[in-house]
Amino acid sequence: MTTDNKQRFSNRVENYTKYRPSYPAEYIDYLVAEVGLIPGSVVADIGAGTGILSRLLAPRVKTVLAVEPNTGMRLAAAEFCRDTANIVIVDGSAEATGLADSSLDFITAGQAFHWFDIEESRKEFRRILKPGGRVALVWNTRDITTPFGREYESLVKQTCVEYLGSGGGSSETLAYRVFFKNGEYDYRVFSNDRRIDLETLIGYSLSTSYAPVKGDAAFPGFVENLMALYDRYADDGGLLLSTATHSYVGKI
């Protein structure tokens, strides 16, 4: 992960903390029932951000090492996870975690793998995982086939020049085939829809790495267009944001 990528979310921490989606209970249950997380497991959550995934994992395992290179994100994670005694906040990156050799049963990465240097992180993960340990990569991605999803996707593409795809995920499998041992991994999809209000739509949108920030020429128009989209598609219960959780699990 380059220095620029490590600092990419520095001015988005507050929105990230408040408005990013969590992961469905079914996904965590899958990690326990089929991937093999147990109460004695030691897990490193790489690119932990504000600790969303780390806190979900903590009740199911012995220790979660929340590894995050961005200072603002680490501070937010420490606050978010302050009442969870078995989460340890670590200053490190996917390519240089600072963790001990063969010390982990599992590695997770939520909304983060696309920032990693594949070869360097692969080498580092092999070093810190115990023999047979597995890596779980996961993303929340928006459904861009719904009427709202199509318009939102169009707006983001028109406004955000660094936009990479719906929520950071990708249907391109080459990176996963290169990363996982023998190109083999278990791929699962879990529903993660949520109903949101206007504040959450704007906050979520501004939390992304590619969104304009205050002071950018595109910022006012982006927010105004989000408000117009919300007005078109929301009902009395708010706006349904159709989202799926995509999981990739394998050995490296």
Side-chain angles (χ1 to χ4, degrees):
M1 188 187 300
T2 68
T3 300
D4 285 349
N5 285 338
K6 291 172 185 175
Q7 302 307 319
R8 184 176 286 267
F9 290 94
S10 295
N11 56 354
R12 307 177 193 273
V13 173
E14 183 177 357
N15 283 325
Y16 200 107
T17 301
K18 289 183 178 180
Y19 304 115
R20 277 296 177 110
S22 187
Y23 299 92
E26 292 78 10
Y27 170 66
I28 305 301
D29 290 342
Y30 155 73
L31 293 180
V32 172
E34 299 190 46
V35 178
L37 265 67
I38 61 173
S41 296
V42 177
V43 181
D45 185 23
I46 309 293
T50 59
I52 294 171
L53 181 55
S54 298
R55 203 163 83 168
L56 292 175
L57 294 169
R60 305 296 194 101
V61 301
K62 180 181 179 181
T63 305
V64 178
L65 302 166
V67 180
E68 172 55 47
N70 183 280
T71 301
M73 288 287 200
R74 280 198 312 277
L75 292 172
E79 176 64 21
F80 185 61
C81 301
R82 64 181 177 178
D83 296 325
T84 310
N86 63 333
I87 294 179
V88 179
I89 309 298
V90 178
D91 180 359
S93 67
E95 301 79 13
T97 63
L99 303 179
D101 293 356
S102 303
S103 59
L104 305 172
D105 299 295
F106 298 94
I107 290 172
T108 60
Q111 307 289 135
F113 176 68
H114 52 294
W115 302 121
F116 299 171
D117 180 294
I118 291 180
E119 285 307 315
E120 291 301 314
S121 61
R122 204 162 168 259
K123 187 187 306 181
E124 177 72 349
F125 289 6
R126 282 176 170 171
R127 182 185 70 79
I128 59 181
L129 274 171
K130 295 176 183 177
R134 283 189 277 182
V135 178
L137 310 176
V138 63
W139 282 272
N140 286 314
T141 62
R142 297 184 311 277
D143 183 350
I144 60 174
T145 66
T146 66
F148 169 80
R150 283 194 296 270
E151 283 205 50
Y152 185 93
E153 184 79 354
S154 177
L155 170 61
V156 172
K157 283 182 176 178
Q158 292 171 13
T159 308
C160 309
V161 295
E162 295 185 352
Y163 180 56
L164 298 174
S166 56
S170 173
S171 59
E172 172 54 57
T173 62
L174 177 60
Y176 311 124
R177 286 187 278 117
V178 169
F179 181 74
F180 288 111
K181 184 177 180 180
N182 300 323
E184 297 174 355
Y185 53 88
D186 183 41
Y187 172 61
R188 303 287 180 98
V189 181
F190 305 85
S191 177
N192 197 20
D193 294 349
R194 58 177 181 153
R195 192 164 283 278
I196 61 176
D197 58 16
L198 176 60
E199 177 186 335
T200 301
L201 175 63
I202 294 172
Y204 160 73
S205 300
L206 296 179
S207 77
T208 59
S209 62
Y210 45 79
V213 297
K214 284 184 178 179
D216 290 348
F219 182 85
F222 185 55
V223 173
E224 287 175 10
N225 282 316
L226 288 173
M227 294 172 68
L229 265 182
Y230 184 87
D231 287 342
R232 278 202 294 280
Y233 289 102
D235 54 33
D236 291 341
L239 174 70
L240 179 64
L241 186 60
S242 297
T243 308
T245 297
H246 295 255
S247 167
Y248 304 78
V249 177
K251 296 180 180 180
I252 54 166

